[in-house]
Amino acid sequence: MFFFGKEEWVFRIPSLLFGLGSIWAIAKLAQLTFRKNSILISAFLMAVSPFLVDQSTQARGYTALIFFSILSCYYFLKIIGECKKDKPIKYIIVSVLGIYTHLYMSMVILSQIIIILLGVFVIREKEKPLLSLMFIRETKFRK
């Protein structure tokens, strides 16, 4: 506010930027889970989504919640797929920022914890329980 004043567009710009970032994030998530033409379809559907367009023009935090939810799911699937040291750190940062933005982000994290618990305790494979969750990435939509 110090640099730009108290104009209305100043308060709406973050929502617009998070809305545009959500289109990029859904494309990254689709790239991880589906075929190439599904990436374009998901990005297009996100771009013309009436809810996202409406919320991107208002000075509210729902587009940030959408953005951080998608990124949280993206890094969650990356952690399951490949165990690199930087992925859990990125997942934690995105999840904490999402909770800071909106408390409903805790429901996204809770669902991810439930998926991990299902993979560990219910869908048991020999010595590699987390790899049983790879069915998420190896669905019939992938190839």
Side-chain angles (χ1 to χ4, degrees), residues 3-131:
F3 293 110
F4 301 110
K6 294 182 181 180
E7 298 294 323
E8 184 177 329
W9 64 271
V10 173
F11 297 103
R12 293 180 186 226
I13 285 291
S15 293
L16 176 66
L17 294 177
F18 279 120
L20 292 173
S22 297
I23 297 169
W24 169 81
I26 200 71
K28 292 294 286 181
L29 183 63
Q31 181 183 14
L32 184 65
T33 55
F34 298 113
R35 291 180 290 186
K36 189 170 187 162
N37 55 353
S38 298
I39 299 169
L40 297 174
I41 291 170
S42 62
F44 173 75
L45 289 175
M46 188 68 132
V48 297
S49 167
F51 178 76
L52 186 70
V53 171
D54 178 49
Q55 293 301 319
S56 293
T57 60
Q58 297 181 16
R60 304 184 83 179
Y62 294 118
T63 53
L65 173 66
I66 294 169
F67 176 73
F68 289 126
S69 297
I70 295 170
L71 278 183
S72 176
C73 292
Y74 173 76
Y75 286 121
F76 177 73
L77 291 177
K78 288 289 257 185
I79 289 170
I80 290 175
E82 41 186 79
C83 295
K84 292 186 179 177
K85 292 182 180 180
D86 64 332
K87 299 300 179 204
I89 294 170
K90 291 178 182 178
Y91 170 76
I92 291 170
I93 290 171
V94 165
S95 297
V96 167
L97 287 174
I99 289 175
Y100 179 73
T101 301
H102 204 289
L103 282 178
Y104 284 173
M105 180 69 182
S106 60
M107 296 300 173
V108 174
I109 297 168
L110 181 65
S111 67
Q112 294 167 348
I113 291 170
I114 289 171
I115 289 173
I116 289 291
L117 292 175
L118 284 174
V120 171
F121 295 113
V122 177
I123 312 170
R124 294 185 184 183
E125 267 192 11
K126 303 174 190 173
E127 300 179 20
K128 297 181 182 177
L130 284 180
L131 291 181

